[in-house]
Amino acid sequence: MKLNSRNYPIDLNADLGEGGQHDEALLQLITSANIACGGHTGDKQTMEKTVKLAHHHIVNIGAHPSFPDREHFGRKVMTITDTALTDSLYQQISSLKAVCDAVGAKLFHVKPHGALYNQAAYSERLGHVLINVIKKIDPNLSLMVLASSPLVGLAKHHGLTVIEEAFADRAYLTDGSLASRGQAGAVIEDAEQVLKQVEKLIKQQAITTLDGNDIVISANSICLHGDNEHALNYAKLISDKLAI
């Protein structure tokens, strides 16, 4: 992981370029940005704006590709051939890389979005598609994935640098997967609870899952969802805690 510009003890990332109102303010607090590149949302204009801001604030820039499903914001499981998915992911990541190249910024990592993120974490087939696309574009790109998921080992086996990610504002299940957004309590709305979860993640202490068990998650990046209505407030609170 590249040293972050704010000297936090752990990387703090957010998903940006998704139409959120606080992207620029968040970029002054986070250390990595995952930028939507056309699959679930985003276009050349939003990519250029977000990349320039991220570059200005010395934030690691990542591509945030998804299933080509703008209708459901990439959050619905999609039936798609490997060939079609490969073509779409290649186009999405390459589009953001071209924007980075044009403004003199560096594309640092790739983090899949939504349903693709959740499925690829456990599907060897989808994992291979994602890994192959990344290696074709630039094998030096890091892959940001769900901490301790099977995709971690698969990507490392194929020579990729892996960033293992945990979540500040999402609840987990006992198997280490994220609770579905459709479940009550899956998105953490209480600031104090978010801060407690961040503290436990940093110290690698057990967190309580939505189904009532304790698990320990080892991660080197923490995600804060940029589309959460409390994202900016959470980011300020987390930044203050990390800066101590």
Side-chain angles (χ1 to χ4, degrees):
M1 190 75 191
K2 187 172 77 172
L3 290 175
N4 66 68
S5 58
R6 305 186 209 291
N7 295 316
Y8 294 160
I10 194 168
D11 181 57
L12 179 63
N13 79 81
D15 305 336
L16 302 181
E18 298 179 331
Q21 299 178 5
H22 305 298
D23 281 13
E24 185 167 8
L26 285 168
L27 282 164
Q28 298 175 53
L29 299 167
I30 63 173
T31 50
S32 291
N34 319 302
I35 301 174
C37 41
H40 62 293
T41 191
D43 53 29
K44 185 176 181 181
Q45 183 177 4
T46 61
M47 284 189 279
E48 287 179 345
K49 178 181 178 180
T50 313
V51 164
K52 287 177 181 178
L53 286 170
H55 186 49
H56 173 73
H57 290 292
I58 318 176
V59 169
N60 293 334
I61 296 171
H64 197 38
S66 76
F67 285 127
D69 180 22
R70 296 174 75 91
E71 180 181 359
H72 302 101
F73 201 71
R75 287 183 175 153
K76 185 176 180 179
V77 174
M78 186 175 189
T79 301
I80 184 172
T81 66
D82 288 359
T83 299
L85 181 58
T86 295
D87 290 345
S88 178
L89 293 176
Y90 185 87
Q91 191 276 330
Q92 291 179 59
I93 299 169
S94 294
S95 293
L96 191 72
K97 187 176 185 302
V99 171
C100 289
D101 291 344
V103 302
K106 177 179 173 59
L107 184 62
F108 183 71
H109 68 275
V110 174
K111 174 189 167 181
H113 164 83
L116 177 62
Y117 179 96
N118 294 325
Q119 279 194 282
Y122 295 94
S123 167
E124 186 172 347
R125 180 181 65 83
L126 290 176
H128 275 298
V129 170
L130 186 60
I131 290 165
N132 289 338
V133 170
I134 291 171
K135 292 180 73 172
K136 186 176 181 180
I137 294 172
D138 181 356
N140 293 313
L141 290 172
S142 297
L143 175 60
M144 185 178 288
V145 298
L146 184 67
S148 301
S149 65
L151 182 53
V152 172
L154 184 66
K156 288 181 177 178
H157 175 74
H158 286 276
L160 293 183
T161 299
V162 177
I163 302 167
E164 295 193 60
E165 175 187 45
F167 290 80
D169 55 359
R170 291 292 303 276
Y172 284 84
L173 299 179
T174 301
D175 64 359
S177 64
L178 295 175
S180 169
R181 283 177 176 265
Q183 292 182 254
V187 178
I188 301 173
E189 302 287 353
D190 179 74
E192 184 177 347
Q193 188 179 353
V194 168
L195 287 176
K196 285 182 178 178
Q197 181 146 304
V198 168
E199 184 175 6
K200 289 180 178 180
L201 290 169
I202 293 171
K203 295 180 178 179
Q204 295 190 17
Q205 296 175 344
I207 62 172
T208 302
T209 66
L210 200 58
D211 42 355
N213 295 300
D214 288 342
I215 60 172
V216 175
I217 299 172
S218 179
N220 46 26
S221 185
I222 293 177
C223 176
L224 180 68
H225 281 97
D227 62 346
N228 186 312
E229 63 178 312
H230 307 295
L232 184 56
N233 180 48
Y234 289 171
K236 290 176 179 176
L237 293 172
I238 293 170
S239 175
D240 287 344
K241 177 173 284 290
L242 295 180
I244 295 175

